[in-house]
Amino acid sequence: MTPAERERHDQFLRLFISHEEAVSGFVRALVPTREDAREVMQEVAAVLWRKFDQLTSPDAFRRWAFGVARFEALASCATARGTGTSSARRCSICSRRKRPGMQRSSRPSGWLWKNA
């Protein structure tokens, strides 16, 4: 490993370790079981490392990691739904219920208040 590769690797590890607890908590809130969260976090770490060159600034790592985590949780939920496992029925991403006074939107948050 060259010194530049080692520095890149060390930078990734420093950033990942400093934000791992927050990202893990976020993933845990999205998926139904701790086992699902562990699997999603493994994928998140792999994707973050594979795409680390795409990170524009170390200051943007946390936001970027949360975005990757959300997409990986969605992928995990979709896979569970496709196989018909009970995890899919309990997944907070896939099973959000429409609340009164809300309507589905194409916005990132997914829900907008409508005037009743």
Side-chain angles (χ1 to χ4, degrees), residues 9 14 22 80 84 95:
H9 182 259
R14 280 191 301 274
S95 63

Side-chain angles (χ1 to χ4, degrees), residues 58-72:
D59 295 334
F61 186 86
R62 182 181 176 105
R63 183 174 163 200
W64 179 60
F66 271 72
V68 169
R70 182 173 184 274
F71 282 113
E72 289 303 319

Side-chain angles (χ1 to χ4, degrees), residues 2-113:
T2 68
E5 290 171 332
R6 183 170 316 202
E7 177 57 34
R8 179 176 168 264
H9 182 259
D10 291 347
Q11 182 184 26
F12 172 79
L13 287 177
R14 280 191 301 274
L15 289 168
F16 183 76
I17 289 169
S18 67
H19 298 289
E20 182 179 17
E21 186 176 342
V23 174
S24 181
F26 176 65
V27 168
R28 182 66 185 100
L30 296 176
V31 297
T33 67
R34 284 188 170 88
E35 182 60 34
D36 291 337
R38 279 192 290 271
E39 290 177 18
V40 169
M41 280 302 294
Q42 287 178 358
E43 284 303 311
V44 168
V47 170
L48 291 174
W49 173 245
R50 240 185 351 262
K51 297 185 176 187
F52 189 60
D53 290 334
Q54 297 175 8
L55 182 65
T56 56
S57 163
D59 295 334
F61 186 86
R62 182 181 176 105
R63 183 174 163 200
W64 179 60
F66 271 72
V68 169
R70 182 173 184 274
F71 282 113
E72 289 303 319
L74 281 168
S76 171
C77 202
T79 300
R81 193 175 51 224
T83 59
T85 64
S86 62
S87 290
R89 290 188 292 275
R90 294 177 294 165
C91 181
S92 67
I93 299 171
C94 297
S95 63
R96 287 191 178 152
R97 293 184 181 158
K98 190 173 181 180
R99 295 182 285 186
M102 300 288 285
Q103 66 184 13
R104 195 73 174 142
S105 165
S106 60
R107 296 183 70 134
S109 67
W111 295 100
L112 289 176
W113 287 104

